Amino acid sequence: DLLSIDKIEEGNIIANKSTFDITKLVNSLCNELNGILRPGQELNYNHEGMEAVYLDPLSLKNTLLNLISNAIKFSPDNSVIRLTTKVSNGEFILKVTDEGLGIPKEDQKHLFERFFRGTNVTNIEGTGLGLHIVAKYVELMNGRINVKSNTGTGTEFTIIFKT
């Protein structure tokens, strides 16, 4: 993770945009991540609009990997992690929604800082780098990221890119 951050911040990673099928990328990643789901957890993916997007598929995959892995890690057994992608009106919108711990309001302003971990995270392993990496990849691809979260009910990350 530290190497990825350093490479991005030093400008050694650039967005290699190409046109690809977003549903194939997300479905493939979901299949890979099924092996780390907790008992009873389910990944639910839905797409709306055209399937072709023009972005950096590797950067997008790394972004999704971090967001979905976090959703799995911070959600209870028997919960649903929802992924939605949508191509509409010149934008590509990606959402990852979980039913997990949620993020305290006072922590949300620090979420994308290096090594930051929420104050309500005690027994869950992690480095505090995943969301920092997500923010760097989103920035690299000229996107923006929003977070909605309430403690005890879950979190929704929304990422928007111009297409």
Side-chain angles (χ1 to χ4, degrees), residues 96-116:
V96 177
T97 308
D98 67 46
E99 301 169 353
L101 292 176
I103 304 159
K105 294 285 182 212
E106 60 274 7
D107 289 351
Q108 291 180 26
K109 62 181 173 254
H110 301 290
L111 272 185
F112 301 106
E113 294 173 8
R114 196 186 280 216
F115 301 115
F116 180 78

Side-chain angles (χ1 to χ4, degrees), residues 13-60:
I13 295 179
I14 58 169
N16 291 312
K17 292 184 176 184
S18 63
T19 301
F20 63 95
D21 184 325
I22 187 61
T23 61
K24 285 183 181 174
L25 184 137
V26 176
N27 281 317
S28 173
L29 186 58
C30 286
N31 286 336
E32 288 178 39
L33 293 173
N34 276 331
I36 66 166
L37 288 173
R38 296 169 57 153
Q41 282 185 334
E42 178 184 329
L43 282 176
N44 182 318
Y45 173 55
N46 185 50
H47 176 78
E48 291 181 38
M50 293 177 36
E51 295 174 351
V53 295
Y54 183 72
L55 288 167
D56 179 343
L58 183 58
S59 294
L60 190 61

Side-chain angles (χ1 to χ4, degrees), residues 47-50 52-53 55 85-94 144 158-163:
H47 176 78
E48 291 181 38
M50 293 177 36
V53 295
L55 288 167
T85 53
K86 181 178 182 179
V87 177
S88 177
N89 298 323
E91 291 184 328
F92 170 66
I93 303 163
L94 162 70
R144 62 186 194 274
T158 302
I159 301 174
I160 302 169
F161 299 101
K162 295 286 184 198
T163 56

